[in-house]
Amino acid sequence: MGHFQTATAVSARREVPGGHEYEAVVDPQWTVGGKPHGGYLLAILGRAAIVSGGADHPHLTAVSGSFLRSPSPGPAAVHVETLRAGRTMTHARARLTQDGRPCVEALITLGTLTEDDPWWSDAEPAALPDEQDCFLTPPEAPGAGFPVALMEVVEQRLDPAGLAFALGTPSRAGVTAGWQRLADGSDWDPLSLLVALDPVPPVSYDLGLPGWAPTVQFSAYVRRLPAPGPLRVRMRALDVTGGLMDEVAHAWDGKGRLVAQATQLAAVRVPPTG
Amino acid sequence: MGHFQTATAVSARREVPGGHEYEAVVDPQWTVGGKPHGGYLLAILGRAAIVSGGADHPHLTAVSGSFLRSPSPGPAAVHVETLRAGRTMTHARARLTQDGRPCVEALITLGTLTEDDPWWSDAEPAALPDEQDCFLTPPEAPGAGFPVALMEVVEQRLDPAGLAFALGTPSRAGVTAGWQRLADGSDWDPLSLLVALDPVPPVSYDLGLPGWAPTVQFSAYVRRLPAPGPLRVRMRALDVTGGLMDEVAHAWDGKGRLVAQATQLAAVRVPPTG
């Protein structure tokens, strides 16, 4: 249990009006406080889109998801509609439902990624202490108030610079960063990168706002096939207004190249002012 | 002709399976090289989503769009499905079709924006020369190779620092920035901000890649109602690989507050290497 490939598998393809429908099982291991991780759910949708229409374009290159309601671990259905199959990319939309209710709706672009170096880049990898000098995030983080089962399948070591919140003195810089590996030793791929791009804890902890920050909307681009080795992931917030926070994440592979980027809007609870 | 409200109007609501369908007219004025501007098309979809399901949540707060094929100026249909109407926000999906073929598919989140200051912000406005010292972008830009009718309805003044490409010496910094006003004098609103977030020319000009850079995928968040006055907009690329460029845009209002942000993936033609 817990292996990413298995946890995101889809089966039993069925033709339905406007596309294909698949069965999936939302895995209790890929959860935060008992709720399925957003990047993990999008990876299930991405897997279904590839099975449905990825014959010519085998890699997820872009995904945007709206999070409508959190599904529970257990059986779910995934509906995929191909919007356009072009020469260099395929566009699809996908929906995860549980008990007939839509939980996640996504737009997915498939293409063909390589390990090639960029033609041009201004994406310097995040400066981090060595992996062994960073803080291994436990599944039962002190002060989190809930178990993060995800931390048993993702081995995350956070830069201590962004962890002052754990001592009650958040830096309020709005940045968290760290190293990530899949705990079973498998390499990162375009689908598992979606998990890496939404790390725990949210940046709001660093702003002195502890607690669950559910994703409202999440968009990611995968730029190349990652080289083996740990990822560096940095997440930064820019603005918290009206109970919503943006978080922008970048991930670099073992060769220090940008492999993926994401932007999300998450709900946060801010203390009343005045 | 050309007024933003009119150019994004939808009419003749009709109940269809799973939602509402509207008529729209894609306006030839909001085009780049004869092709409708991506942010403008998403604004039509946003307008339809608000008319369909925005009774409680009148403002577009998030949108993600997949650009399947460019519609021509002229009549189009917009289909809207409400995915979830919640307490604080409404999620919808919307599709623009022309002659029965899907052109743009989008996920839209509606909410209620205010002019409130942020609870927390790290979004310093882009440093720009005074508006009158920036370069007014003409509809027939020298070297562009095509007319940009959009520049007759959006008054854009670009920071000369990002314009060295026009002299044949692109800076390759991957940044463009400037001031934007609606030419008819009306104030920016959450829908017209979507136009501002995809400025012309694309950052690729600054990388020495002239020519059309069609948007593949675009995601934007609107964070607050903009104060009157010109916007500052900065757009930055991070990586160009495999014919795809990311562009990240931020917009600040007349009070210097972040009002909106966007990320897009655009197709570019790079010279062969070796």
Side-chain angles (χ1 to χ4, degrees):
Chain A
M1 191 175 98
H3 187 74
F4 181 75
Q5 295 274 349
T6 318
T8 54
V10 298
S11 58
R13 167 180 170 147
R14 187 162 77 89
E15 305 264 342
V16 294
H20 295 123
E21 194 169 271
Y22 300 87
E23 292 170 12
V25 178
V26 177
D27 191 313
Q29 185 69 65
W30 297 77
T31 56
V32 177
K35 292 182 189 294
H37 181 266
Y40 162 69
L41 292 173
L42 291 179
I44 295 176
L45 295 179
R47 181 87 68 202
I50 290 166
V51 171
S52 174
D56 293 331
H57 306 124
H59 303 126
L60 181 142
T61 55
V63 62
S64 285
S66 288
F67 291 83
L68 311 171
R69 52 176 67 82
S70 189
S72 302
V78 178
H79 177 267
V80 181
E81 175 188 4
T82 297
L83 298 171
R84 185 180 185 198
R87 191 177 54 81
T88 60
M89 60 186 84
T90 293
H91 290 284
R93 72 176 189 88
R95 176 180 297 183
L96 188 141
T97 59
Q98 196 171 54
D99 304 327
R101 300 204 307 172
C103 298
V104 186
E105 179 91 14
L107 296 174
I108 293 168
T109 306
L110 305 177
T112 306
L113 294 169
T114 68
E115 288 196 43
D116 292 355
D117 285 332
W119 178 80
W120 175 88
S121 174
D122 188 35
E124 268 301 298
L128 285 176
D130 287 348
E131 200 176 358
Q132 71 272 17
D133 297 330
C134 288
F135 181 79
L136 182 66
T137 318
E140 296 278 355
F146 45 74
V148 183
L150 182 73
M151 291 298 110
E152 292 165 354
V153 279
V154 175
E155 188 183 306
Q156 176 181 252
R157 290 171 187 272
L158 288 173
D159 184 345
L163 287 175
F165 69 83
L167 304 173
T169 55
S171 80
R172 294 179 63 89
V175 179
T176 64
W179 299 91
Q180 290 190 46
R181 294 177 186 267
L182 288 169
D184 67 3
S186 57
D187 291 325
W188 294 100
D189 66 31
L191 291 180
S192 55
L193 283 174
L194 302 180
V195 177
L197 289 167
D198 185 12
V200 181
V203 175
S204 40
Y205 277 54
D206 185 53
L207 301 177
L209 301 172
W212 178 239
T215 303
V216 172
Q217 215 277 354
F218 178 95
S219 295
Y221 303 145
V222 181
R223 308 305 302 276
R224 57 177 45 76
L225 296 176
L231 293 177
R232 296 167 190 244
V233 179
R234 183 181 58 211
M235 192 156 61
R236 193 189 289 274
L238 265 191
D239 183 285
V240 178
T241 298
L244 291 170
M245 165 180 66
D246 63 321
E247 291 179 300
V248 175
H250 292 95
W252 294 266
D253 68 6
K255 290 186 176 171
R257 301 170 314 179
L258 180 74
V259 286
Q261 62 204 116
T263 304
Q264 71 170 282
L265 202 59
V268 290
R269 230 171 261 199
V270 302
T273 51
Chain B
M1 192 173 96
H3 188 73
F4 181 75
Q5 296 274 350
T6 318
T8 54
V10 298
S11 58
R13 168 177 168 149
R14 187 162 77 88
E15 304 265 342
V16 292
H20 295 122
E21 194 170 271
Y22 300 88
E23 292 170 14
V25 178
V26 177
D27 191 312
Q29 186 69 65
W30 297 77
T31 55
V32 177
K35 293 181 189 295
H37 181 265
Y40 161 68
L41 292 173
L42 291 178
I44 295 176
L45 296 179
R47 182 87 67 202
I50 290 166
V51 171
S52 174
D56 293 330
H57 305 124
H59 303 127
L60 181 141
T61 55
V63 60
S64 286
S66 288
F67 290 83
L68 311 172
R69 53 176 67 81
S70 189
S72 303
V78 178
H79 177 268
V80 180
E81 176 188 5
T82 297
L83 298 171
R84 186 179 185 199
R87 192 177 53 80
T88 59
M89 59 186 83
T90 293
H91 291 284
R93 73 176 189 88
R95 176 181 297 185
L96 187 141
T97 58
Q98 196 171 53
D99 303 327
R101 301 203 307 173
C103 298
V104 186
E105 179 91 13
L107 296 174
I108 293 167
T109 306
L110 305 177
T112 306
L113 294 169
T114 69
E115 288 196 44
D116 291 355
D117 285 331
W119 179 79
W120 175 88
S121 174
D122 188 35
E124 267 300 299
L128 285 176
D130 287 347
E131 200 176 359
Q132 69 272 18
D133 296 330
C134 287
F135 181 79
L136 182 66
T137 318
E140 296 276 356
F146 46 74
V148 183
L150 182 72
M151 290 299 109
E152 291 166 353
V153 278
V154 176
E155 188 182 306
Q156 176 181 252
R157 290 172 188 271
L158 288 172
D159 184 345
L163 288 176
F165 68 82
L167 305 172
T169 55
S171 81
R172 294 180 62 92
V175 180
T176 63
W179 298 91
Q180 289 189 46
R181 294 176 186 267
L182 288 169
D184 67 4
S186 57
D187 290 326
W188 294 100
D189 66 31
L191 290 181
S192 56
L193 283 174
L194 301 181
V195 176
L197 289 168
D198 185 11
V200 181
V203 175
S204 40
Y205 277 54
D206 185 53
L207 301 177
L209 300 172
W212 177 242
T215 303
V216 171
Q217 216 276 354
F218 178 96
S219 294
Y221 303 145
V222 180
R223 309 304 302 276
R224 58 177 43 77
L225 295 175
L231 293 177
R232 293 167 191 245
V233 179
R234 185 180 57 211
M235 190 156 63
R236 193 187 290 275
L238 265 190
D239 183 285
V240 178
T241 298
L244 292 170
M245 165 179 68
D246 62 320
E247 292 179 298
V248 176
H250 292 95
W252 294 266
D253 68 6
K255 290 186 176 171
R257 302 170 313 179
L258 181 73
V259 287
Q261 61 203 118
T263 304
Q264 71 171 281
L265 202 59
V268 289
R269 230 171 259 200
V270 302
T273 50

